[in-house]
Amino acid sequence: MATPMIELDRVAKHYGDQAAVAEISFVIEKGEFIALMGPSGCGKTTTLRMIAGLDQPTSGEIRLWGRRLNEDAPWERDAPLVWQSYALFPFLSVRRNVEFGLKHRGLPAAERRKKADEWMERLGIGSFAERGVDQLSGGQRQRVALARALALEPEMLLLDEPLSALDPHLRVRMQSELVRLHRELGITFICVTHSHSEAFAMADRVVIMNEGRVQQIGAPQEIYRRAANRFVAEFVGGNNILAGIATVQGDGSIEIAGPVGTVKAPAPTEGAIAQGAAATLVVPADRIELVPDRTGIGNEVAARVVTVEFVGSTVTVFLETDGGGELRAQRSLHEIENTPLVVGQPVVARWSPSQGFFLPG
Ligand code: ADP
Ligand code: MG
């Protein structure tokens, strides 16, 4: 197998007896857009800082093209970092900020200026070149920080919550600009975010972390459709997590009895579920249909509408089942407009058994 661009090999970072990063291993290929995603305090920034060379691992090895990187100083690595706070120099103009790294590298003034102009133009901040960065909006500052990092023409770009200081509408626009930049430049992006929608919107692969450990690595759709464990299933949202007692059927499929009643699901692809064992079934909310009456097809659970939550073009319908359990269904706004739902209304929640999957353990 070819040497991957970046390898984290059992990398850990301890502060006293606390593990900011417990022991993580994964590889990043050249040109990938990787999102490191997880809740606050899970070790994302620490991981990024170790890749940038701002922190040294307590143990384990970080390799770039197969070569140990642990002891290399930040400026010896071709990996500039763009911060949430941008870390720009407020007393310098936009141009001087963008030129900063190039000057540090000893590039002659004329070349520096040419490169800075190119990148300011590319990021749409050319007309602010002489302004102080303290006279710019959040979105403009973000572009200055990106231009400053990209002017170095690095092999990889590290981004720590780059969009979280922006207004929601601007955030969505910058998301697609980052994706476009990444595609045009063909360099590796490693972006830290606590937002699953941001990670899923931008990244080729997502590394989900919790409490200093990697929980799952995969393409957004893969993670969304097949959470590896309970933490991921809850963190990415939109899942029903149903606990119950399993009965193995003659055909190997499983019936699970719990608060929402008895429902069917395929046997897990890995590991077996024993007769009578406690099991946890995940049913994605967007796989649950709402029908007026039982149809005899698939899993059907009688329920009542508790809340209807409008989330733009999708609608989340919270249900209480007749057995006292809870379910949520995610439907399109279009569908709810055609068949309005009233709080208290009885409905049947229906889904195909094949859409459910068991969590391991
Ligand atoms: P994230 O970026 O995912 O929010 P961090 O990597 O910043 O998380 O932090 C992970 C954990 O390590 C947190 O519990 C944090 O308090 C701790 N930590 C980070 N940096 C230091 C430090 N310099 N000294 C002590 N503890 C730290
Ligand atoms: Mg952080």
Side-chain angles (χ1 to χ4, degrees):
M1 236 177 64
T3 309
M5 181 177 184
I6 301 160
E7 288 170 276
L8 277 76
D9 186 2
R10 286 166 294 162
V11 170
K13 178 71 184 178
H14 294 264
Y15 290 105
D17 56 5
Q18 198 214 351
V21 171
E23 198 178 84
I24 58 174
S25 298
F26 57 89
V27 303
I28 299 173
E29 301 293 345
K30 180 177 164 57
E32 277 197 295
F33 194 141
I34 294 287
L36 291 179
M37 171 177 94
S40 179
C42 74
K44 306 180 295 293
T45 295
T46 305
T47 303
L48 204 66
R49 287 176 59 89
M50 289 192 286
I51 297 172
L54 298 167
D55 282 328
Q56 277 206 13
T58 310
S59 60
E61 194 165 84
I62 301 178
R63 292 187 284 272
L64 178 66
W65 298 121
R67 190 180 66 79
R68 180 181 167 98
L69 205 61
N70 293 40
E71 288 76 25
D72 287 17
W75 55 88
E76 294 172 304
R77 305 180 189 204
D78 195 15
L81 208 159
V82 175
W83 300 100
Q84 172 188 344
S85 57
Y86 314 140
L88 298 170
F89 304 106
F91 47 89
L92 295 183
S93 69
V94 168
R95 171 177 280 117
R96 295 219 179 277
N97 266 282
V98 175
E99 281 185 358
F100 187 82
L102 300 170
K103 191 171 178 184
H104 195 77
R105 279 194 182 169
L107 218 68
E111 278 180 54
R112 231 157 56 206
R113 190 181 173 105
K114 183 163 171 287
K115 243 185 194 46
D117 283 350
E118 258 171 50
W119 281 100
M120 286 188 296
E121 207 49 54
R122 184 154 196 173
L123 284 157
I125 47 172
S127 52
F128 311 120
E130 306 308 331
R131 258 198 224 173
V133 289
D134 50 353
Q135 292 158 21
L136 300 179
S137 71
Q140 291 161 345
R141 281 181 209 196
Q142 176 60 265
R143 287 162 204 275
V144 178
L146 281 169
R148 183 177 63 179
L150 292 171
L152 297 169
E153 289 166 358
E155 209 176 358
M156 63 175 134
L157 181 66
L158 310 180
L159 303 134
D160 192 356
E161 308 267 6
L163 309 179
S164 55
L166 304 178
D167 298 337
H169 74 281
L170 199 54
R171 200 177 304 158
V172 174
R173 231 181 67 199
M174 278 307 286
Q175 266 176 25
S176 44
E177 278 199 45
L178 283 176
V179 170
R180 184 178 55 82
L181 260 179
H182 171 256
R183 200 174 44 226
E184 287 174 7
L185 300 175
I187 65 173
T188 307
F189 276 32
I190 308 176
C191 181
V192 158
T193 173
H194 62 273
S195 152
H196 66 267
S197 58
E198 214 167 277
F200 286 175
M202 297 192 295
D204 300 316
R205 285 194 306 145
V206 180
V207 179
I208 302 191
M209 294 179 63
N210 188 38
E211 295 180 343
R213 290 176 197 283
V214 172
Q215 303 293 313
Q216 189 169 3
I217 303 177
Q221 200 173 347
E222 209 175 294
I223 290 179
Y224 198 70
R225 279 294 174 226
R226 277 284 185 276
N229 58 39
R230 189 182 187 102
F231 171 80
V232 176
E234 285 176 353
F235 191 72
V236 302
N239 282 315
N240 289 283
I241 301 172
L242 310 175
I245 298 299
T247 310
V248 183
Q249 306 294 293
D251 63 358
S253 71
I254 290 174
E255 262 188 14
I256 159 166
V260 306
T262 300
V263 295
K264 285 193 181 64
T269 44
E270 277 171 52
I273 292 179
Q275 196 68 262
T280 309
L281 178 68
V282 176
V283 182
D286 65 338
R287 297 299 198 184
I288 296 188
E289 288 180 286
L290 302 175
V291 292
D293 299 295
R294 287 183 186 278
T295 58
I297 302 166
N299 287 314
E300 293 189 305
V301 176
R304 266 168 206 287
V305 175
V306 177
T307 325
V308 182
E309 202 177 279
F310 293 87
V311 205
S313 60
T314 63
V315 177
T316 308
V317 183
F318 292 88
L319 304 165
E320 187 182 347
T321 68
D322 287 3
E326 288 173 10
L327 277 179
R328 67 167 77 173
Q330 207 175 353
R331 309 305 310 166
S332 72
L333 178 58
H334 177 75
E335 180 185 317
I336 300 295
E337 281 169 344
N338 284 338
T339 1
L341 290 172
V342 192
V343 170
Q345 176 183 334
V347 288
V348 171
R350 181 177 79 176
W351 70 94
S352 161
S354 65
Q355 299 302 342
F357 63 93
F358 287 100
L359 293 178

